[in-house]
Amino acid sequence: MELEVLMEERLWESASPRQEGLQAILSGRQLSKRYGAVVSLCEVDIDVYGGVVLGLIGDNGAGKSTLVKILVGAEQADQGQLVFLGETRRWRSPDAARAAGIETVFQDLGLCEELSVWRNFCLGREGRGGLENGTSRKVKRFRKIERREVRDDCMDALLEFGLHLSSPDVQVKALSGGERQALAIARAAHFGARMLVLDEPTSALSVRETERVLTTVRAAAERGMGCVVVSHAIGHIEEVADQVLVLQHGRGIMMTFRGELSRRELEDLVAGRSQAHAEKDV
């Protein structure tokens, strides 16, 4: 099925996890973080479910970045608890969270523009478990057969996410912004990520490229990944998210589900113009 059709069929139709009784991939409870006298995050609860896109919105200084950093191991909460796949965890670094199955796609995407698409696809995973001549030195170069397999895997993974390239040897600098996002997401899915965190994935993209990215995010959720999308663009969150968590001054003031609030109501909550809907449990 074409990804665009798949996205259209799912638009505004996803069942809420609270109705289905699903178990979260990751749960955070009472997460708090201080930087000196500044309270950046205060007792925030969050649940990320497989197959569900969670939108994270809030004004500047609302605590979005701090919350994401705690979820992916870039920061540790001063108090609170993280449970990942049923086990209480405390990430010591982003590498630890990544090894467990949490992949982060930041605005800079972590891609090397001068390298080919397939080299970027396996970047950081070369020589995993590989030894050369029985020594402890990691394999630094792919043998021809390995290179062919990785190139094929790369193209297959990109096709699954609707990205059609003429060759895996194309340099990343030749890709559009939306294509780079698709590459980063396809890479995460291929290497077994259970949860995907995207920081402002549609920032500075054209309308067409934004549509590509949102379609790719939905495709990742269709494959069972839990997706967290952080964005200032409420319209984009409204299009792609099954759930929306609204942060304000470091607190989670609202967890709402697709279709429960209008865009104007979400904008009012983010801007602090109205608290009328913030009485629901988060």
Side-chain angles (χ1 to χ4, degrees):
M1 182 181 291
E2 290 294 322
L3 293 180
E4 289 79 4
V5 176
L6 184 65
M7 182 178 177
E8 183 177 349
E9 287 183 353
R10 284 182 54 86
L11 193 62
W12 301 106
E13 295 179 356
S14 299
S16 70
R18 66 181 178 186
Q19 294 172 343
E20 297 292 333
L22 301 178
Q23 181 177 5
I25 290 177
L26 179 142
S27 292
R29 292 292 177 267
Q30 300 291 290
L31 298 175
S32 300
K33 181 70 177 179
R34 281 179 174 270
Y35 295 98
V38 178
V39 178
S40 182
L41 209 63
C42 184
E43 299 181 349
V44 171
D45 292 343
I46 185 171
D47 292 295
V48 182
Y49 296 90
V52 173
V53 179
L54 171 64
L56 187 59
I57 62 175
D59 208 348
N60 290 335
K64 303 187 303 296
S65 295
T66 301
L67 177 57
V68 165
K69 287 177 181 178
I70 290 172
L71 297 183
V72 304
E75 296 277 2
Q76 292 190 351
D78 296 329
Q79 68 179 54
Q81 183 183 59
L82 280 179
V83 177
F84 183 72
L85 298 178
E87 182 180 351
T88 301
R89 306 296 293 265
R90 186 174 178 85
W91 311 124
R92 295 186 178 277
S93 68
D95 285 341
R98 188 184 190 198
I102 299 177
E103 194 77 27
T104 310
V105 180
F106 290 111
Q107 285 178 309
D108 61 10
L109 301 177
L111 301 176
C112 296
E113 291 195 347
E114 300 299 325
L115 294 182
S116 65
V117 166
W118 78 267
R119 284 285 186 182
N120 272 277
F121 185 76
C122 59
L123 192 65
R125 294 176 170 89
E126 307 92 329
R128 274 196 174 184
L131 300 178
E132 187 175 45
N133 299 324
T135 68
S136 60
R137 185 161 62 91
K138 289 185 177 180
V139 178
K140 294 184 178 179
R141 295 183 179 179
F142 288 102
R143 292 185 291 271
K144 287 185 178 179
I145 186 171
E146 292 172 332
R147 183 178 301 161
R148 184 165 59 249
E149 290 173 351
V150 173
R151 285 160 53 91
D152 290 344
D153 286 347
C154 173
M155 292 298 281
D156 289 344
L158 294 180
L159 284 173
E160 287 184 14
F161 284 87
L163 183 55
H164 301 266
L165 298 180
S166 60
S167 167
D169 295 316
V170 173
Q171 287 186 315
V172 164
K173 66 182 180 181
L175 302 184
S176 66
E179 289 172 334
R180 296 184 192 199
Q181 289 282 356
L183 169 59
I185 294 171
R187 177 177 65 181
H190 179 78
F191 287 101
R194 299 294 303 275
M195 177 176 148
L196 185 63
V197 180
L198 301 105
D199 180 28
E200 299 287 351
T202 60
S203 177
L205 294 184
S206 67
V207 173
R208 183 176 180 82
E209 290 297 289
T210 294
E211 291 176 354
R212 175 190 291 277
V213 171
L214 298 183
T215 300
T216 306
V217 172
R218 288 252 47 113
E222 282 293 327
R223 285 156 176 76
M225 296 175 66
C227 300
V228 178
V229 180
V230 184
S231 181
H232 284 87
I234 294 178
H236 298 164
I237 291 294
E238 188 181 41
E239 286 185 51
V240 76
D242 302 297
Q243 302 173 261
V244 179
L245 175 59
V246 184
L247 295 182
Q248 191 180 97
H249 305 305
R251 294 182 177 273
I253 65 167
M254 166 72 74
M255 172 66 81
T256 185
F257 292 82
R258 176 171 284 183
E260 289 186 337
L261 295 180
S262 69
R263 183 181 303 186
R264 177 60 182 272
E265 289 170 328
L266 289 173
E267 291 173 348
D268 286 345
L269 283 171
V270 168
R273 291 191 293 263
S274 172
Q275 296 297 321
H277 300 281
E279 297 175 357
K280 296 183 181 180
D281 292 335
V282 177

